Amino acid sequence: MAVKVYVVYYSMYGHVAKLADEIKKGVSSVEGAEAKIWQVPETLPEEVLGKMGAPPKLDAPIITPQELAEADGILFGFPTRFGMMAAQMKAFFDATGGLWREQSLAGKPAGIFFSTGTQGGGQETTALTTVTQLTHHGMIFVPVGYTFGAKLFDMEKVQGGSPYGAGTFAADGSRWPSEMELEHAFHQGQYFAGIAKKLKGAA
């Protein structure tokens, strides 16, 4: 039976969605693994989103908290807001109380990926503050580490991502994920799927 990996994200301007697509490709490249992309619900009114210049949402389905329990592993993606996850993703986590009460997600592997505006904008703090959500659910945090190899040490170009997960810098919104950042996202999906597969096999 295939390992089911959910890629669950929030993206206001599309940067995280771009990473999510590559992560899905990485998961799907692993034999015996299947990926499905989901979005979390938007919490801002259309009028506010319009004033913020946010484009229309992509057509990925909207996930409910209960549907998380169907996955064998979950990768969560979101932009940062003041060094932690965006409120839309936090609101989604806040709605998972029923899953927490039953410990429905306990033992499931989880990973994270993210977008920040600047180099000091939270590429690590966003990840660190997210681990608390996973911990209370009893999930197994699967960081990508340095398995991506030498490219993570490249100092010649601006690049997002860290040992915690794939990432990108959006700047004022005009910068899109670079080729290297997309490669990192693909690798994370592939690596995570391999771990999820081993865990499911061991169970």
Side-chain angles (χ1 to χ4, degrees), residues 7 14 32 37 47 90 110 128 145 201:
V7 183
I37 285 188
E47 180 184 0
K90 183 60 169 66
L128 285 169

Side-chain angles (χ1 to χ4, degrees), residues 3-5 23-35 72-75 109 142-144 147 186-202:
V3 173
K4 192 183 299 183
V5 176
I23 284 178
K24 180 185 177 184
K25 292 175 187 175
V27 171
S28 299
S29 73
V30 175
E31 185 178 356
E34 60 181 38
D72 296 308
I74 307 164
L75 284 151
V142 181
V144 72
T147 59
F186 181 93
H187 170 76
Q188 182 176 10
Q190 190 175 59
Y191 176 76
F192 183 86
I195 298 295
K197 188 176 176 182
K198 287 179 183 177
L199 288 171
K200 184 170 184 178

Side-chain angles (χ1 to χ4, degrees), residues 120-192:
Q123 290 275 316
E124 291 198 350
T125 60
T126 302
L128 285 169
T129 51
T130 300
V131 171
T132 60
Q133 314 295 312
L134 310 180
T135 300
H136 282 262
H137 278 289
M139 302 187 83
I140 302 169
F141 177 44
V142 181
V144 72
Y146 284 92
T147 59
F148 187 48
K151 290 183 179 180
L152 209 55
F153 295 90
D154 184 1
M155 301 295 286
E156 298 300 314
K157 300 174 184 175
V158 173
Q159 60 187 37
S162 72
Y164 296 95
T168 188
F169 294 117
D172 61 357
S174 61
R175 183 188 184 275
W176 287 89
S178 67
E179 182 179 344
M180 195 286 298
E181 291 168 342
L182 294 175
E183 288 177 11
H184 194 188
F186 181 93
H187 170 76
Q188 182 176 10
Q190 190 175 59
Y191 176 76
F192 183 86

Side-chain angles (χ1 to χ4, degrees), residues 30-47:
V30 175
E31 185 178 356
E34 60 181 38
K36 184 171 183 178
I37 285 188
W38 302 83
Q39 297 181 81
V40 302
E42 179 59 78
T43 60
L44 293 175
E46 287 295 332
E47 180 184 0

Side-chain angles (χ1 to χ4, degrees), residues 2-155:
V3 173
K4 192 183 299 183
V5 176
Y6 284 0
V7 183
V8 180
Y9 75 88
Y10 173 74
S11 188
M12 180 173 283
Y13 296 106
H15 300 80
V16 175
K18 188 76 172 172
L19 293 177
D21 283 339
E22 286 302 310
I23 284 178
K24 180 185 177 184
K25 292 175 187 175
V27 171
S28 299
S29 73
V30 175
E31 185 178 356
E34 60 181 38
K36 184 171 183 178
I37 285 188
W38 302 83
Q39 297 181 81
V40 302
E42 179 59 78
T43 60
L44 293 175
E46 287 295 332
E47 180 184 0
V48 174
L49 290 169
K51 289 179 179 179
M52 295 175 74
K57 299 294 183 189
L58 300 179
D59 59 0
I62 305 297
I63 194 168
T64 64
Q66 291 71 28
E67 286 170 307
L68 291 176
E70 301 169 2
D72 296 308
I74 307 164
L75 284 151
F76 296 99
F78 36 80
T80 187
R81 298 289 187 267
F82 301 110
M84 61 187 297
M85 68 172 65
Q88 289 85 347
M89 183 60 79
K90 183 60 169 66
F92 179 75
F93 270 108
D94 287 350
T96 61
L99 296 174
W100 166 80
R101 186 168 53 251
E102 301 295 330
Q103 284 295 284
S104 301
L105 303 181
K108 293 182 186 287
I112 50 181
F113 57 102
F114 34 79
S115 171
T116 68
T118 63
Q119 289 175 295
Q123 290 275 316
E124 291 198 350
T125 60
T126 302
L128 285 169
T129 51
T130 300
V131 171
T132 60
Q133 314 295 312
L134 310 180
T135 300
H136 282 262
H137 278 289
M139 302 187 83
I140 302 169
F141 177 44
V142 181
V144 72
Y146 284 92
T147 59
F148 187 48
K151 290 183 179 180
L152 209 55
F153 295 90
D154 184 1
M155 301 295 286

